[in-house]
Amino acid sequence: MKLLSFKSTSDHLLQGVCLSLLWVVANCNSTELSITNVGNLTARLETSTSTTPSPPLNVEKVDVVTQNESSITLQWNKVDGISTYRLEIREGGHMDVNDISGEPVVFVVSGLTAGRRYSFTLFTVLNGLYSSGYSFAAVTAPPDTERFEHITQNETSITLQWTKVEEINTYTLHYNDMKVNITHSEGSGTYTVSGLTRTTRYNFTLFTVFDYAPSRGKTITAVT
């Protein structure tokens, strides 16, 4: 760099002005550089935030396909081809967790108790992230009555009797093509089937009903 030469007082004054201008220019460049660096950092943070993966979607619904006294079979449609799910099962303050992977669209929840209501929450899982969860309830089928028999009959009717199942008061009786819903609040259940034909054999099947789920059914034969 070529050095400037000053000879008089005015020259010295001019020298001070020039040095001051050089200092201002240098600091302006430094300020612009700092602003540029802050802008680049902000852009990187915005890019990082915008690329954070979102949790997967929940399943649209879960169907209860079948149930018996000890299991409930569930079915759902996969979410965007995702094959990993977590199923939480709650009953009476107790919770079990099933991690499901592979290609299940149908899953059997086993080891359950007869005549119980269970609460479920199904989560979709993708890259370690969980959906908010789809919640629903389902019940197991109740057991059949231990004793089911006919106690009297005449030419046109047959009286049936059975032992109630725990605290369940709802039963369904099938015979011929007939279906009768019966409710008993206490004691043994009794029901008289009338309007029958004399000297005829009838098959009666009694189902215990818990919520919407029937038992397997117990069948007896009786005649007028």
Side-chain angles (χ1 to χ4, degrees), residues 102-119:
E103 294 295 329
V105 203
V106 176
F107 184 74
V108 179
V109 185
S110 58
L112 305 180
T113 302
R116 294 288 186 273
R117 174 180 292 274
Y118 290 86
S119 298

Side-chain angles (χ1 to χ4, degrees), residues 4-25:
L4 298 176
S5 177
F6 301 91
K7 296 180 180 179
S8 63
T9 301
S10 60
D11 290 341
H12 286 290
L13 181 60
L14 180 60
Q15 180 186 27
V17 172
C18 290
L19 292 175
S20 297
L21 289 174
L22 289 174
W23 181 86
V24 170
V25 170

